[in-house]
Short mmCIF file of all heavy atoms in Angstrom, two decimals:
data_model
loop_
_atom_site.label_atom_id
_atom_site.label_comp_id
_atom_site.label_asym_id
_atom_site.label_seq_id
_atom_site.Cartn_x
_atom_site.Cartn_y
_atom_site.Cartn_z
N TRP A 62 -10.05 20.88 -11.76
CA TRP A 62 -10.68 19.58 -11.49
C TRP A 62 -11.75 19.73 -10.41
O TRP A 62 -12.77 19.08 -10.46
CB TRP A 62 -9.64 18.59 -11.00
CG TRP A 62 -8.77 17.98 -12.04
CD1 TRP A 62 -8.40 18.50 -13.24
CD2 TRP A 62 -8.14 16.70 -11.95
NE1 TRP A 62 -7.56 17.64 -13.90
CE2 TRP A 62 -7.39 16.53 -13.12
CE3 TRP A 62 -8.12 15.71 -10.99
CZ2 TRP A 62 -6.63 15.38 -13.36
CZ3 TRP A 62 -7.37 14.58 -11.22
CH2 TRP A 62 -6.64 14.41 -12.41
N VAL A 63 -11.46 20.57 -9.43
CA VAL A 63 -12.36 20.77 -8.28
C VAL A 63 -13.17 22.05 -8.42
O VAL A 63 -14.37 22.04 -8.21
CB VAL A 63 -11.55 20.79 -6.97
CG1 VAL A 63 -12.45 21.05 -5.77
CG2 VAL A 63 -10.75 19.50 -6.79
N TRP A 64 -12.51 23.14 -8.80
CA TRP A 64 -13.13 24.46 -8.77
C TRP A 64 -13.58 24.97 -10.14
O TRP A 64 -13.94 26.13 -10.29
CB TRP A 64 -12.19 25.48 -8.11
CG TRP A 64 -11.74 25.02 -6.76
CD1 TRP A 64 -10.46 24.73 -6.38
CD2 TRP A 64 -12.53 24.78 -5.61
NE1 TRP A 64 -10.41 24.31 -5.09
CE2 TRP A 64 -11.67 24.33 -4.57
CE3 TRP A 64 -13.90 24.86 -5.35
CZ2 TRP A 64 -12.15 23.99 -3.32
CZ3 TRP A 64 -14.36 24.52 -4.07
CH2 TRP A 64 -13.48 24.10 -3.09
N LYS A 65 -13.53 24.12 -11.15
CA LYS A 65 -13.98 24.43 -12.50
C LYS A 65 -13.29 25.67 -13.06
O LYS A 65 -12.14 25.93 -12.74
CB LYS A 65 -15.51 24.53 -12.55
CG LYS A 65 -16.13 23.21 -12.12
CD LYS A 65 -17.60 23.18 -12.31
CE LYS A 65 -18.06 21.79 -11.89
NZ LYS A 65 -19.40 21.66 -11.52
N ASP A 66 -13.96 26.43 -13.93
CA ASP A 66 -13.33 27.54 -14.65
C ASP A 66 -12.82 28.67 -13.76
O ASP A 66 -11.95 29.44 -14.15
CB ASP A 66 -14.29 28.12 -15.69
CG ASP A 66 -14.51 27.17 -16.86
OD1 ASP A 66 -13.78 26.15 -16.94
OD2 ASP A 66 -15.38 27.47 -17.69
N GLU A 67 -13.32 28.76 -12.56
CA GLU A 67 -12.85 29.77 -11.60
C GLU A 67 -11.33 29.66 -11.42
O GLU A 67 -10.63 30.65 -11.25
CB GLU A 67 -13.57 29.54 -10.25
CG GLU A 67 -12.99 30.24 -9.08
CD GLU A 67 -13.61 29.75 -7.76
OE1 GLU A 67 -14.81 29.48 -7.71
OE2 GLU A 67 -12.85 29.64 -6.79
N ALA A 68 -10.80 28.43 -11.47
CA ALA A 68 -9.38 28.19 -11.25
C ALA A 68 -8.51 28.85 -12.31
O ALA A 68 -7.36 29.21 -12.04
CB ALA A 68 -9.11 26.68 -11.21
N PHE A 69 -9.03 29.01 -13.52
CA PHE A 69 -8.25 29.58 -14.61
C PHE A 69 -8.00 31.08 -14.44
O PHE A 69 -7.15 31.63 -15.15
CB PHE A 69 -8.93 29.34 -15.95
CG PHE A 69 -9.12 27.88 -16.30
CD1 PHE A 69 -10.31 27.44 -16.84
CD2 PHE A 69 -8.11 26.96 -16.07
CE1 PHE A 69 -10.50 26.11 -17.17
CE2 PHE A 69 -8.27 25.62 -16.38
CZ PHE A 69 -9.48 25.19 -16.93
N ARG A 70 -8.71 31.72 -13.54
CA ARG A 70 -8.58 33.16 -13.36
C ARG A 70 -7.83 33.53 -12.07
O ARG A 70 -7.74 34.71 -11.74
CB ARG A 70 -9.97 33.80 -13.32
CG ARG A 70 -10.75 33.61 -14.64
CD ARG A 70 -12.08 34.30 -14.62
NE ARG A 70 -13.00 33.78 -13.60
CZ ARG A 70 -13.78 32.70 -13.74
NH1 ARG A 70 -13.77 32.03 -14.88
NH2 ARG A 70 -14.57 32.30 -12.77
N GLN A 71 -7.27 32.54 -11.39
CA GLN A 71 -6.63 32.79 -10.10
C GLN A 71 -5.13 32.99 -10.26
O GLN A 71 -4.43 32.09 -10.75
CB GLN A 71 -6.91 31.65 -9.14
CG GLN A 71 -8.39 31.36 -8.93
CD GLN A 71 -9.16 32.59 -8.47
OE1 GLN A 71 -8.75 33.27 -7.55
NE2 GLN A 71 -10.28 32.86 -9.13
N ASP A 72 -4.64 34.15 -9.83
CA ASP A 72 -3.21 34.47 -9.94
C ASP A 72 -2.49 34.44 -8.60
O ASP A 72 -1.27 34.25 -8.56
CB ASP A 72 -3.02 35.84 -10.56
CG ASP A 72 -3.39 35.87 -12.02
OD1 ASP A 72 -3.38 34.80 -12.68
OD2 ASP A 72 -3.71 36.97 -12.53
N LEU A 73 -3.21 34.63 -7.52
CA LEU A 73 -2.59 34.68 -6.20
C LEU A 73 -2.53 33.30 -5.56
O LEU A 73 -3.39 32.45 -5.84
CB LEU A 73 -3.38 35.64 -5.30
CG LEU A 73 -3.42 37.10 -5.78
CD1 LEU A 73 -4.35 37.91 -4.86
CD2 LEU A 73 -2.03 37.70 -5.83
N PRO A 74 -1.56 33.07 -4.69
CA PRO A 74 -1.51 31.78 -4.00
C PRO A 74 -2.67 31.65 -3.02
O PRO A 74 -3.07 32.63 -2.38
CB PRO A 74 -0.17 31.82 -3.26
CG PRO A 74 0.12 33.27 -3.07
CD PRO A 74 -0.48 33.97 -4.26
N SER A 75 -3.21 30.44 -2.93
CA SER A 75 -4.29 30.19 -1.97
C SER A 75 -4.34 28.70 -1.67
O SER A 75 -3.91 27.89 -2.49
CB SER A 75 -5.65 30.65 -2.53
OG SER A 75 -6.03 29.82 -3.62
N VAL A 76 -4.87 28.39 -0.52
CA VAL A 76 -5.06 26.98 -0.18
C VAL A 76 -6.06 26.38 -1.16
O VAL A 76 -5.85 25.27 -1.68
CB VAL A 76 -5.58 26.83 1.27
CG1 VAL A 76 -6.02 25.41 1.57
CG2 VAL A 76 -4.49 27.28 2.24
N ARG A 77 -7.11 27.11 -1.45
CA ARG A 77 -8.19 26.62 -2.32
C ARG A 77 -7.66 26.20 -3.69
O ARG A 77 -8.00 25.14 -4.20
CB ARG A 77 -9.25 27.69 -2.45
CG ARG A 77 -10.41 27.31 -3.33
CD ARG A 77 -11.45 28.44 -3.35
NE ARG A 77 -12.51 28.19 -4.27
CZ ARG A 77 -13.75 27.86 -3.94
NH1 ARG A 77 -14.06 27.73 -2.67
NH2 ARG A 77 -14.66 27.65 -4.87
#
Side-chain angles (χ1 to χ4, degrees):
W62 281 28
V63 177
W64 306 116
K65 300 187 178 158
D66 289 352
E67 166 191 322
F69 299 137
R70 298 182 298 275
Q71 304 305 311
D72 291 336
L73 298 175
S75 68
V76 170
R77 179 178 174 107

